[in-house]
Amino acid sequence: MSATSLETASTTAAAEESRFRMGQSRTERVRDRFRQIRKFTNALCGGLEPEDCVVQSMPDVSPTKWHLAHTTWFFETFILKKFLPGYRPEIPEYAYLFNSYYNAAGDMHRRDLRGLISRPTVSEAQRYRASIDSHVDELLSDPDENLLDEIEAILVLGIHHEQQHQELLITDIKHVFAQNPLYPVFRAGRARHSVRAEERTATECRPYQFIDFEETVTAIGHDGDGFAYDNEGPRHQALVPAFSLATRPVTNGEYIAFIEDNGYSRPEFWLSLGWMTVNEQRWNAPLYWIKRDGVWWNFTLSGLCPVDQSEPVTHLSYFEADAYANWAGARLPTEFEWERAALSCPIEGNFVETELFHPAAVAPNAFGAVSAERPEQHRQLLQMFGDVWEWTRSAYSPYPGYRAAPGALGEYNGKFMCNQFVLRGGSCATSSSHIRRSYRNFFQPEKRWQFTGIRLARDPE
Ligand SMILES: [Fe+2]
């Protein structure tokens, strides 16, 4: 499939969305959504060769082939085996090979050994996808309302699960390609911007400002309108003391100032665990940055590009985000501050649909001269959604009253509520239909291979 297929898939998606609003039945709506998400995964793989799809460059990374098969296993295990009468898996061993972490669904293959599996081949994995898709179609061809009640919630969960894996597929192939001295290109789109990017290396955008928020008691968590993961609830009241939040994420240019001020070798800015990690890993810049003849270059999904000073900095661990905030005389926001502030922000931005596969530069004049016509431009939160996931200082913990559901699907979120931090807002690899103001992403503090960045917060003076 060619790279333009992704565009076609997006266009088709838009057309399908508009048909949704024109009175489709519930079954048609769910089936179309299912087909659209499955097609988008395939479109993301357009341009990848089979050799690209089997590499596991570190234990956190899964081969593309595994993502293709695992998302399929999810529908086979939780929908077909349970609800399609007489369904028999063609290859029962896939249940072991493509289970990720669901203990209640049976044993599983070791995560760090996924790159050793040459069979099934990539084309066999694609055939597995097609076969499961046609079975799901069959199941949805004429379901009674009671059956639909039962399967719809799981099907929708499977669709969101696949969207999460679409993002992982992108960040994982980036890590795979980054190991290759040929610096392969995933999508050439950004190359079109490379000249502009080079020009912008010398351009700095205007400084960020802080917006003040008064102390308040606010509702936190999903409001019940549409799909949400269980970790976004129960919705509850939380006291959010007064705070200030930066108008935009920290840029590469600002982060270079931290590097040049020897930020990576001054322990006073670092958490103890972070300082240990920096020294062990010999970090001196964000992941994927390379210094050549005194100039920083950045490996992107469109190849190696000069670091653009006006783009949000990304591929940082929590430790680096926290150290930068300390150096800048600020701190990271809590997830409650972030969610409260996001209430006033539209859910729009640079998501996967823009096909940039990279954070977009901050507009050079953002927060510059305030025009008389639009004074609100002066103090507006920008890029809250898309571009980079924003690290918060909140530990990933259950909300008051949270209980994981029983059974395998209860393992989706709850069992990871330990030693991880919450990130908010989505990234350039997230689908716009996947993100919410209440969405809680989470990673361990040393992870850097996702599109993770920084937005600063401050306490009142
Ligand atoms: Fe998964």
Side-chain angles (χ1 to χ4, degrees):
M1 191 177 284
S2 74
T4 53
S5 300
L6 188 60
E7 212 169 307
T8 314
S10 298
T11 314
T12 313
E16 282 169 359
E17 283 292 340
S18 88
R19 278 203 292 122
F20 285 177
R21 289 190 290 272
M22 293 173 69
Q24 281 185 309
S25 74
R26 184 156 71 123
T27 316
E28 285 171 334
R29 209 165 49 235
V30 174
R31 194 189 55 207
D32 284 4
R33 185 95 181 108
F34 171 78
R35 286 178 181 166
Q36 175 197 325
I37 274 8
R38 300 286 282 170
K39 202 189 299 177
F40 189 68
T41 306
N42 293 337
L44 280 174
C45 300
L48 292 181
E49 299 295 339
E51 290 85 348
D52 300 324
C53 298
V54 298
V55 179
Q56 180 170 34
S57 49
M58 66 166 170
D60 286 325
V61 161
S62 297
T64 305
K65 182 180 71 177
W66 187 88
H67 287 298
L68 294 173
H70 162 71
T71 47
T72 304
W73 165 88
F74 191 97
F75 290 110
E76 181 180 43
T77 305
F78 298 117
I79 299 278
L80 297 181
K81 284 185 180 174
K82 211 164 160 204
F83 298 106
L84 186 62
Y87 178 77
R88 289 278 173 277
E90 272 176 56
I91 303 173
E93 291 80 7
Y94 283 2
Y96 174 79
L97 215 43
F98 299 124
N99 180 2
S100 52
Y101 54 67
Y102 299 86
N103 292 309
D107 289 341
M108 65 212 70
H109 185 242
R110 262 176 58 178
R111 183 184 184 190
D112 57 336
L113 301 183
R114 289 172 187 164
L116 301 182
I117 303 303
S118 61
R119 306 298 174 99
T121 62
V122 176
S123 59
E124 281 165 346
Q126 291 284 16
R127 275 203 295 280
Y128 175 46
R129 280 180 74 81
S131 160
I132 296 304
D133 287 355
S134 67
H135 283 302
V136 171
D137 256 8
E138 182 194 335
L139 182 67
L140 293 177
S141 61
D142 188 24
D144 66 40
E145 284 292 309
N146 290 340
L147 179 67
L148 198 59
D149 283 344
E150 272 199 86
I151 63 176
E152 186 178 4
I154 305 172
L155 205 56
V156 170
L157 177 66
I159 286 168
H160 284 272
H161 170 254
E162 181 134 353
Q163 288 185 308
Q164 280 187 287
H165 277 277
Q166 288 166 352
E167 176 152 6
L168 289 169
L169 188 154
I170 292 164
T171 50
D172 287 0
I173 200 68
K174 181 170 184 176
H175 193 267
V176 168
F177 279 179
Q179 314 310 310
N180 187 332
L182 297 176
Y183 297 121
V185 168
F186 174 72
R187 285 289 189 279
R190 199 179 138 69
R192 294 198 298 270
H193 304 288
S194 64
V195 175
R196 249 180 53 211
E198 240 168 308
E199 285 168 4
R200 278 206 305 260
T201 53
T203 316
E204 278 190 50
C205 50
R206 307 270 179 169
Y208 52 79
Q209 299 180 353
F210 282 93
I211 298 183
D212 299 330
F213 290 83
E214 297 287 312
E215 176 173 298
T216 191
V217 173
T218 187
I220 294 293
H222 190 247
D223 61 10
D225 184 17
F227 174 83
Y229 288 120
D230 63 351
N231 63 4
E232 295 166 57
R235 189 166 163 91
H236 61 284
Q237 298 292 308
L239 172 68
V240 182
F243 68 100
S244 306
L245 193 65
T247 41
R248 59 162 173 78
V250 171
T251 61
N252 287 330
E254 287 153 356
Y255 199 79
I256 287 173
F258 167 70
I259 296 173
E260 290 179 348
D261 197 30
N262 298 314
Y264 276 91
S265 45
R266 293 170 61 181
E268 65 265 35
F269 303 129
W270 296 82
L271 289 163
S272 169
L273 211 53
W275 184 241
M276 219 166 72
T277 309
V278 161
N279 287 295
E280 268 173 18
Q281 302 293 325
R282 298 168 181 256
W283 288 343
N284 62 2
L287 181 64
Y288 302 130
W289 282 31
I290 301 156
K291 203 168 197 177
R292 283 184 176 170
D293 302 325
V295 177
W296 285 112
W297 289 71
N298 190 6
F299 178 69
T300 74
L301 281 161
S302 303
L304 201 59
C305 299
V307 166
D308 181 338
Q309 297 212 14
S310 58
E311 285 170 3
V313 63
T314 189
H315 295 300
L316 293 175
S317 64
Y318 175 84
F319 296 136
E320 289 160 296
D322 179 74
Y324 178 89
N326 288 331
W327 172 82
R331 62 170 172 81
L332 299 177
T334 67
E335 64 168 321
F336 309 107
E337 290 168 342
W338 194 98
E339 189 167 327
R340 193 227 154 159
L343 278 176
S344 61
C345 301
I347 302 180
E348 56 189 32
N350 170 28
F351 294 111
V352 72
E353 292 84 359
T354 65
E355 299 181 53
L356 197 56
F357 300 105
H358 195 75
V362 173
N365 286 322
F367 326 119
V370 185
S371 77
E373 297 81 49
R374 299 197 61 194
E376 75 280 5
Q377 273 184 339
H378 184 58
R379 297 175 71 75
Q380 204 179 33
L381 291 172
L382 293 183
Q383 293 175 286
M384 285 284 278
F385 291 98
D387 293 303
V388 292
W389 286 103
E390 298 176 8
W391 281 110
T392 75
R393 71 188 329 187
S394 299
Y396 178 49
S397 300
Y399 286 165
Y402 173 83
R403 292 296 293 265
L409 290 175
E411 296 184 55
Y412 201 108
N413 281 311
K415 71 182 187 181
F416 300 110
M417 290 175 172
C418 177
N419 292 345
Q420 315 216 36
F421 285 85
V422 173
L423 301 105
R424 294 298 196 113
S427 82
C428 55
T430 310
S431 286
S432 58
S433 61
H434 184 65
I435 196 72
R436 290 171 293 282
R437 292 185 180 84
S438 57
Y439 195 106
R440 308 172 80 200
N441 197 1
F442 50 91
F443 278 98
Q444 290 102 345
E446 73 280 8
K447 302 302 184 198
R448 308 210 292 173
W449 95 112
Q450 298 302 300
F451 286 100
T452 45
I454 311 170
R455 183 183 299 267
L456 296 177
R458 274 194 326 210
D459 295 317
E461 299 283 307

